[in-house]
Structure formats: C-alpha cells, structure tokens
Amino acid sequence: MDLEEAFQVVGEFGPYQKRTVAVLLLTQVYMACQSMLIVLVGSTPQFRIEQQEGAPLSQQELPQQVTFTEDIDSIVTEWFLIKQQAYKVSLAGSLFFAGLLVGNVIFGPLSDKIGRRPVYLIGLFFEVVFGYVTAFAPSYEVFALSRLLVGLMNGGIGLVCFVLTQEYVGKSYWAMTGTLTSMTFAVGIALFGALGYVIRPWRSLATAANSSGVLIFLLSVSLPESPRWLYSQGQTWRAEEVLRHMALRNGNAANKLMLRPVGVTKAGNHDDRGMGVLQLVIHPVLRLRTMVLMFVWYACSLVYYGLTLGAGAMSGNRYVNMAMYGLVELPAYPLCIYFINKHWAGRRKSMASFLWLGSALMFLSDLKLIKIGSRIAVRFQLVVFMPQHQR
C-alpha cells in the first residue's frame, strides 16, 4: 500500500496525531512570543532632556541629563537608546528577522537531508538557550546578537514545525492542521500582549516568555520522526514502524501494514520525479508561478509584520493593541479552512479575491477614511490567504 492508504488504516487524525499536533501548536505560541518580543521590551517612553541648547549629548552624558516621564522598563530605559541611539531598537528587530530569513534557507534543506525531528529539536533547544541570553544580556551588543540567533532558530523550527503538522496526518486534514499552526501563532501574539501587561520589567518579561519553551521542548522529545520523510528517503521499514506505533496509540490494528517500496507506482512502474525542486527554476510555467507566489508571500509578510510590529507605536494602550492584533486574526482561520476545501473556491480564486479586498482596504487606510477599522480588516484578509495556508 502507499502512504495515503496506510493512513487510512492507521487513522488520518486519531488521538495520537491530535496530541502530537497539539505539541507543535504550543510551539507556535512560544515562537509568537519570541517574534513579538521587541515590540514590548523595546518600548520607548516619554522623556525630557535637561539640557540647554547646544551641542548634542554624548552617550555617557545621557544618564545624567535624561529623565523618563513614563513608568516603563525596557531596553530603551536601561541602555538609553534615544536620540542618535534610537535606531538600535529597530536594528534589534531587523536582526531577528534577518535570522528568520537565514533560518528558513538553512533549516529547510537540512530537514530534508537529516530528518524533521532532529532539526526541530536542535533548533528549539538552541532557541530556548539564546532566549535566555536575551533575557540576561549584559549589554545591547549581546542583546542584539542573541536576537539574531533566536531569529535564526525561530525561522528554522517554524518551517519544520509546519511541515510536521502536515506529515503526521492524512491529506484530508492538511488544510486544518496547516491553518491551526497560524491560528495558534495569533493566539500567542494575544497571550504575549496579556503577559506584557502583567509583567512589566523587560528582563522578567523576556524570561517568562522564553520559559514556556523549556516545557515545550520536554514535550517535543517524545515526538516521532515524520513517516512521510522516512518513506521518501527509502527507509520503508522505519516508516512502517512509526505508522504501526501511531495505529497502536490510536487503537487501530496495523500488524499487516506494508508499504510499497519508494519509486514504484501501483502499476509497478517506476516513478520518475525528474529534477525535483530544480524544476521550479527550469520549467518556465513553474518558474513564473514560483516568482508570483514569492512576491505574494513577501507583500503579505511585509504588511502583516509591519502592522504587528507597529502596535507599540499606535495611540492607546500598547498591550491592548498587541492583544487585539492577535485576536482579530482568529475569525479568519475557519474561513481559510472552509474556502480551501471547496472546489468552487480553492486556493487560487480565494487568494486573488482576498488580496484584492486587502489592497482596497489598505488604500482606504492611506486615505484616512476608516484608518483603524481598515487596518484591522486588512490584517483579517491577509491571514486568511498568506501563502503558508496554501500548501
């Protein structure tokens, strides 16, 4: 039998898969806290400079001349990242996302080569380690370097985590489990806003946000390797072993489960997969589609994170703003699952429709007609059909 037939025997989304996917979803909550950390720990309070007109203050003179008029504890107040040093807050955020980019590039192929589980566990372990370095950083330079390394791990495990939620279950549940990963990321954003409201000192907040990763790592140790990856690597017997274990934990009998050797179709012919991922570049149609989807992903991510990371700069309570940016996404995800699974809508038509609607709302926002409402609506549209939901 092939893999899909095996999952019919094992159970496409039985109790065991629900538990494994739940652990991966908790990882998304932890990752959201790390992604949004700079929004709260980098808050810039109101301040006044007790200096007469003249030459600009040096960094050494700032502690004596600057008074912060808001009761906020952040990296800005600790290291006086104001005036000429203010760029360092944005730099730390940019370093995180630079690491995120590199992590995606490195960890994806690495997980194809050595396996999903080891890459996921190693990445999660080091993200927790570097997260504590962030919390206890003795200087801005150490803080900034730790954010780069946390971003590196975050990008890698985020990609592998999403893939595992797909590869543990039958294909009829792909839309649901893939969407749930982004849904729990949004929940994580909202929870981080609430956590920041309760825990104000930035070091305590960074420690609390990072400590959940320890528990998640301990839960993740019991996760199996992806049976789909094992099968694709020709390790048929190991894939059968994992599938039998899943079946046993699901309460199904799978003693006679035998997978067809890799590369052989039902008719007994060999499956020629050609150049693999290189076809995305070589084949003209695939190349065009890949470029379009890459641009769509770039545009959606730019607006999505631009709105989220700007939560602290908006008027009103920064903690409520952050929580609302997470909560406003939640109604979008059931729509995502619904439209993806409908033959009359599907991925292409739905993505195009929501992108047009999102663009229109952004123009309204720029015209300041319904600025706050349109920002919320744009975010709602973006999360429905960002490319990660279309795998």
Side-chain angles (χ1 to χ4, degrees):
M1 64 177 69
D2 61 24
L3 268 175
E4 297 312 321
E5 292 170 337
F7 271 105
Q8 295 295 328
V9 175
V10 169
E12 287 194 285
F13 195 47
Y16 181 71
Q17 285 114 312
K18 290 176 182 176
R19 288 192 292 271
T20 56
V21 169
V23 172
L24 296 170
L25 297 183
L26 287 175
T27 306
Q28 293 290 324
V29 175
Y30 168 69
M31 289 170 53
C33 292
Q34 288 293 353
S35 298
M36 299 298 113
L37 187 71
I38 195 63
V39 177
L40 297 185
V41 305
S43 298
T44 301
Q46 297 292 325
F47 63 90
R48 68 172 182 269
I49 300 178
E50 300 171 357
Q51 178 203 26
Q52 295 181 354
E53 295 295 330
L57 291 173
S58 67
Q59 188 66 16
Q60 290 74 25
E61 293 174 318
L62 283 176
Q64 290 76 37
Q65 300 294 330
V66 173
T67 301
F68 292 103
T69 57
E70 281 186 86
D71 186 19
I72 292 177
D73 180 71
S74 68
I75 63 172
V76 175
T77 61
E78 179 164 341
W79 294 313
F80 290 87
L81 304 180
I82 58 174
K83 293 294 185 178
Q84 295 89 348
Q85 301 295 315
Y87 75 93
K88 290 184 177 181
V89 178
S90 299
L91 177 61
S94 298
L95 286 172
F96 175 88
F97 284 97
L100 200 76
L101 172 63
V102 177
N104 274 274
V105 174
I106 294 176
F107 279 65
L110 193 61
S111 69
D112 287 338
K113 186 175 181 61
I114 69 174
R116 317 292 194 217
R117 183 176 181 272
V119 170
Y120 168 75
L121 290 176
I122 292 171
L124 180 56
F125 174 81
F126 280 107
E127 180 163 359
V128 172
V129 171
F130 296 137
Y132 281 122
V133 174
T134 291
F136 298 105
S139 65
Y140 169 80
E141 289 73 21
V142 175
F143 175 87
L145 178 60
S146 70
R147 296 317 295 161
L148 173 67
L149 296 174
V150 168
L152 183 71
M153 300 300 125
N154 194 287
I157 66 171
L159 179 64
V160 178
C161 182
F162 177 86
V163 171
L164 280 173
T165 62
Q166 307 287 280
E167 296 187 346
Y168 282 154
V169 304
K171 66 179 182 180
S172 60
Y173 287 90
W174 286 352
M176 184 186 74
T177 57
T179 303
L180 283 176
T181 58
S182 293
M183 188 174 189
T184 48
F185 190 91
V187 171
I189 294 174
L191 290 176
F192 182 62
L195 186 66
Y197 179 80
V198 175
I199 304 174
R200 297 300 176 91
W202 80 265
R203 290 186 184 274
S204 300
L205 175 60
T207 302
N210 192 60
S211 295
S212 62
V214 178
L215 174 61
I216 295 168
F217 176 78
L218 294 175
L219 292 173
S220 298
V221 170
S222 63
L223 295 177
E225 181 56 273
S226 163
R228 295 181 185 274
W229 179 82
L230 290 170
Y231 184 66
S232 71
Q233 298 299 303
Q235 302 181 42
T236 307
W237 66 273
R238 286 189 61 195
E240 292 171 349
E241 208 172 59
V242 173
L243 289 169
R244 290 193 187 102
H245 177 71
M246 286 183 173
L248 180 65
R249 300 295 292 273
N250 285 340
N252 299 325
N255 295 328
K256 297 182 179 180
L257 190 150
M258 295 288 290
L259 292 174
R260 188 178 296 111
V262 178
V264 178
T265 65
K266 289 185 178 181
N269 300 321
H270 290 281
D271 180 17
D272 183 10
R273 302 192 181 189
M275 298 292 292
V277 71
L278 289 178
Q279 288 206 28
L280 296 178
V281 178
I282 295 172
H283 196 285
V285 175
L286 291 178
R287 183 169 62 244
L288 176 62
R289 291 176 180 174
T290 300
M291 291 175 65
V292 169
L293 289 175
M294 288 175 67
F295 177 76
V296 169
W297 200 328
Y298 163 79
C300 288
S301 297
L302 182 67
V303 177
Y304 179 90
Y305 285 108
L307 291 174
T308 308
L309 296 176
M314 288 186 64
S315 59
N317 189 296
R318 59 175 54 86
Y319 307 104
V320 174
N321 289 343
M322 169 153 288
M324 288 303 298
Y325 270 137
L327 293 175
V328 75
E329 296 184 27
L330 299 184
Y333 293 107
L335 285 177
C336 178
I337 298 172
Y338 176 79
F339 283 112
I340 283 177
N341 287 322
K342 292 298 180 181
H343 66 88
W344 49 266
R347 293 159 170 76
R348 185 173 64 89
K349 293 179 181 178
S350 299
M351 182 180 72
S353 299
F354 277 89
L355 284 174
W356 274 107
L357 182 56
S359 300
L361 291 170
M362 282 300 294
F363 279 117
L364 291 175
S365 176
D366 289 338
L367 293 172
K368 302 183 184 298
L369 296 178
I370 48 172
K371 189 168 185 179
I372 300 300
S374 63
R375 281 193 175 195
I376 293 174
V378 166
R379 187 179 181 84
F380 179 87
Q381 309 303 335
L382 286 173
V383 301
V384 177
F385 290 104
M386 285 181 72
Q388 64 258 35
H389 302 320
Q390 301 163 23
R391 299 191 180 192

